[in-house]
PDB file of all heavy atoms in Angstrom:
ATOM      1  N   ALA A  23       0.171   8.272  18.438  1.00 99.00           N
ATOM      2  CA  ALA A  23       1.061   7.222  18.871  1.00 99.00           C
ATOM      3  C   ALA A  23       2.346   7.948  19.213  1.00 99.00           C
ATOM      4  O   ALA A  23       2.634   8.991  18.686  1.00 99.00           O
ATOM      5  CB  ALA A  23       1.275   6.149  17.822  1.00 99.00           C
ATOM      6  N   TYR A  24       3.109   7.315  20.139  1.00 99.00           N
ATOM      7  CA  TYR A  24       4.300   8.020  20.633  1.00 99.00           C
ATOM      8  C   TYR A  24       5.569   7.139  20.658  1.00 99.00           C
ATOM      9  O   TYR A  24       6.632   7.655  21.039  1.00 99.00           O
ATOM     10  CB  TYR A  24       4.024   8.508  22.057  1.00 99.00           C
ATOM     11  CG  TYR A  24       2.672   9.106  22.275  1.00 99.00           C
ATOM     12  CD1 TYR A  24       1.615   8.392  22.772  1.00 99.00           C
ATOM     13  CD2 TYR A  24       2.425  10.444  21.918  1.00 99.00           C
ATOM     14  CE1 TYR A  24       0.342   8.896  22.917  1.00 99.00           C
ATOM     15  CE2 TYR A  24       1.149  10.990  22.047  1.00 99.00           C
ATOM     16  CZ  TYR A  24       0.129  10.231  22.565  1.00 99.00           C
ATOM     17  OH  TYR A  24      -1.123  10.794  22.705  1.00 99.00           O
ATOM     18  N   ASP A  25       5.393   5.866  20.259  1.00 98.00           N
ATOM     19  CA  ASP A  25       6.580   5.037  20.282  1.00 98.00           C
ATOM     20  C   ASP A  25       6.509   4.053  19.102  1.00 98.00           C
ATOM     21  O   ASP A  25       5.549   3.933  18.371  1.00 98.00           O
ATOM     22  CB  ASP A  25       6.699   4.299  21.627  1.00 98.00           C
ATOM     23  CG  ASP A  25       5.490   3.306  21.831  1.00 98.00           C
ATOM     24  OD1 ASP A  25       5.301   2.414  20.999  1.00 98.00           O
ATOM     25  OD2 ASP A  25       4.881   3.522  22.875  1.00 98.00           O
ATOM     26  N   ALA A  29       3.282   2.613  16.985  1.00 99.00           N
ATOM     27  CA  ALA A  29       3.162   3.123  15.591  1.00 99.00           C
ATOM     28  C   ALA A  29       2.981   1.970  14.657  1.00 99.00           C
ATOM     29  O   ALA A  29       2.161   1.982  13.734  1.00 99.00           O
ATOM     30  CB  ALA A  29       4.337   3.933  15.296  1.00 99.00           C
ATOM     31  N   ILE A  40      -0.939   9.217  11.716  1.00 99.00           N
ATOM     32  CA  ILE A  40      -0.516   9.020  13.128  1.00 99.00           C
ATOM     33  C   ILE A  40      -0.015  10.404  13.650  1.00 99.00           C
ATOM     34  O   ILE A  40       0.848  10.980  13.040  1.00 99.00           O
ATOM     35  CB  ILE A  40       0.668   8.032  13.222  1.00 99.00           C
ATOM     36  CG1 ILE A  40       0.276   6.650  12.688  1.00 99.00           C
ATOM     37  CG2 ILE A  40       1.154   7.952  14.666  1.00 99.00           C
ATOM     38  CD1 ILE A  40       1.405   5.678  12.591  1.00 99.00           C
ATOM     39  N   VAL A  42       1.892  12.372  16.395  1.00 99.00           N
ATOM     40  CA  VAL A  42       2.736  12.268  17.603  1.00 99.00           C
ATOM     41  C   VAL A  42       2.364  13.546  18.353  1.00 99.00           C
ATOM     42  O   VAL A  42       2.926  14.637  18.184  1.00 99.00           O
ATOM     43  CB  VAL A  42       4.254  12.264  17.201  1.00 99.00           C
ATOM     44  CG1 VAL A  42       5.084  11.988  18.441  1.00 99.00           C
ATOM     45  CG2 VAL A  42       4.495  11.210  16.126  1.00 99.00           C
ATOM     46  N   HIS A  67      10.200  11.422  20.381  1.00 98.00           N
ATOM     47  CA  HIS A  67       9.025  10.548  20.127  1.00 98.00           C
ATOM     48  C   HIS A  67       8.672  10.490  18.601  1.00 98.00           C
ATOM     49  O   HIS A  67       8.221   9.480  18.116  1.00 98.00           O
ATOM     50  CB  HIS A  67       7.826  10.936  20.947  1.00 98.00           C
ATOM     51  CG  HIS A  67       8.019  10.559  22.411  1.00 98.00           C
ATOM     52  ND1 HIS A  67       7.661   9.297  22.910  1.00 98.00           N
ATOM     53  CD2 HIS A  67       8.577  11.217  23.456  1.00 98.00           C
ATOM     54  CE1 HIS A  67       8.024   9.214  24.158  1.00 98.00           C
ATOM     55  NE2 HIS A  67       8.528  10.378  24.526  1.00 98.00           N
ATOM     56  N   THR A  68       8.923  11.585  17.937  1.00 99.00           N
ATOM     57  CA  THR A  68       8.669  11.553  16.471  1.00 99.00           C
ATOM     58  C   THR A  68       9.667  10.616  15.753  1.00 99.00           C
ATOM     59  O   THR A  68       9.279   9.818  14.934  1.00 99.00           O
ATOM     60  CB  THR A  68       8.828  12.992  15.900  1.00 99.00           C
ATOM     61  OG1 THR A  68       7.871  13.801  16.559  1.00 99.00           O
ATOM     62  CG2 THR A  68       8.641  13.010  14.407  1.00 99.00           C
ATOM     63  N   GLU A  69      10.858  10.601  16.266  1.00 99.00           N
ATOM     64  CA  GLU A  69      11.925   9.670  15.752  1.00 99.00           C
ATOM     65  C   GLU A  69      11.512   8.259  15.941  1.00 99.00           C
ATOM     66  O   GLU A  69      11.576   7.394  14.987  1.00 99.00           O
ATOM     67  CB  GLU A  69      13.247   9.884  16.444  1.00 99.00           C
ATOM     68  CG  GLU A  69      14.013  11.143  15.913  1.00 99.00           C
ATOM     69  CD  GLU A  69      15.274  11.463  16.700  1.00 99.00           C
ATOM     70  OE1 GLU A  69      15.433  10.915  17.816  1.00 99.00           O
ATOM     71  OE2 GLU A  69      16.035  12.237  16.259  1.00 99.00           O
ATOM     72  N   ALA A  70      11.001   8.042  17.147  1.00 99.00           N
ATOM     73  CA  ALA A  70      10.566   6.583  17.466  1.00 99.00           C
ATOM     74  C   ALA A  70       9.501   6.147  16.559  1.00 99.00           C
ATOM     75  O   ALA A  70       9.463   4.979  16.036  1.00 99.00           O
ATOM     76  CB  ALA A  70      10.135   6.504  18.936  1.00 99.00           C
ATOM     77  N   VAL A  71       8.445   7.011  16.356  1.00 99.00           N
ATOM     78  CA  VAL A  71       7.322   6.636  15.501  1.00 99.00           C
ATOM     79  C   VAL A  71       7.783   6.528  14.018  1.00 99.00           C
ATOM     80  O   VAL A  71       7.417   5.549  13.305  1.00 99.00           O
ATOM     81  CB  VAL A  71       6.199   7.712  15.612  1.00 99.00           C
ATOM     82  CG1 VAL A  71       5.205   7.560  14.507  1.00 99.00           C
ATOM     83  CG2 VAL A  71       5.569   7.609  16.996  1.00 99.00           C
ATOM     84  N   ALA A  72       8.638   7.434  13.605  1.00 98.00           N
ATOM     85  CA  ALA A  72       9.080   7.397  12.160  1.00 98.00           C
ATOM     86  C   ALA A  72       9.896   6.162  11.892  1.00 98.00           C
ATOM     87  O   ALA A  72       9.864   5.616  10.741  1.00 98.00           O
ATOM     88  CB  ALA A  72       9.864   8.678  11.856  1.00 98.00           C
ATOM     89  N   ARG A  73      10.622   5.640  12.942  1.00 98.00           N
ATOM     90  CA  ARG A  73      11.444   4.381  12.726  1.00 98.00           C
ATOM     91  C   ARG A  73      10.533   3.262  12.396  1.00 98.00           C
ATOM     92  O   ARG A  73      11.007   2.205  11.835  1.00 98.00           O
ATOM     93  CB  ARG A  73      12.264   4.088  13.987  1.00 98.00           C
ATOM     94  CG  ARG A  73      13.573   4.723  13.954  1.00 98.00           C
ATOM     95  CD  ARG A  73      14.425   4.323  15.169  1.00 98.00           C
ATOM     96  NE  ARG A  73      15.209   5.501  15.512  1.00 98.00           N
ATOM     97  CZ  ARG A  73      15.150   6.156  16.695  1.00 98.00           C
ATOM     98  NH1 ARG A  73      14.377   5.688  17.642  1.00 98.00           N
ATOM     99  NH2 ARG A  73      15.826   7.204  16.882  1.00 98.00           N
ATOM    100  N   ALA A  74       9.257   3.298  12.690  1.00 98.00           N
ATOM    101  CA  ALA A  74       8.342   2.184  12.323  1.00 98.00           C
ATOM    102  C   ALA A  74       8.025   2.249  10.851  1.00 98.00           C
ATOM    103  O   ALA A  74       7.356   1.332  10.348  1.00 98.00           O
ATOM    104  CB  ALA A  74       7.032   2.292  13.136  1.00 98.00           C
ATOM    105  N   PRO A  76       5.878   3.868   9.056  1.00 98.00           N
ATOM    106  CA  PRO A  76       4.455   3.621   8.782  1.00 98.00           C
ATOM    107  C   PRO A  76       3.976   4.099   7.363  1.00 98.00           C
ATOM    108  O   PRO A  76       4.619   5.029   6.770  1.00 98.00           O
ATOM    109  CB  PRO A  76       3.720   4.454   9.823  1.00 98.00           C
ATOM    110  CG  PRO A  76       4.663   5.443  10.303  1.00 98.00           C
ATOM    111  CD  PRO A  76       6.075   4.932  10.038  1.00 98.00           C
ATOM    112  N   VAL A  80       2.799  10.723   9.117  1.00 99.00           N
ATOM    113  CA  VAL A  80       3.233  10.941  10.475  1.00 99.00           C
ATOM    114  C   VAL A  80       3.250  12.493  10.722  1.00 99.00           C
ATOM    115  O   VAL A  80       3.930  13.272  10.006  1.00 99.00           O
ATOM    116  CB  VAL A  80       4.684  10.409  10.730  1.00 99.00           C
ATOM    117  CG1 VAL A  80       5.143  10.848  12.116  1.00 99.00           C
ATOM    118  CG2 VAL A  80       4.716   8.933  10.573  1.00 99.00           C
TER     119      VAL A  80
END
Side-chain angles (χ1 to χ4, degrees):
Y24 316 98
D25 64 57
I40 299 174
V42 189
H67 287 274
T68 300
E69 283 172 345
V71 167
R73 269 183 217 121
V80 175

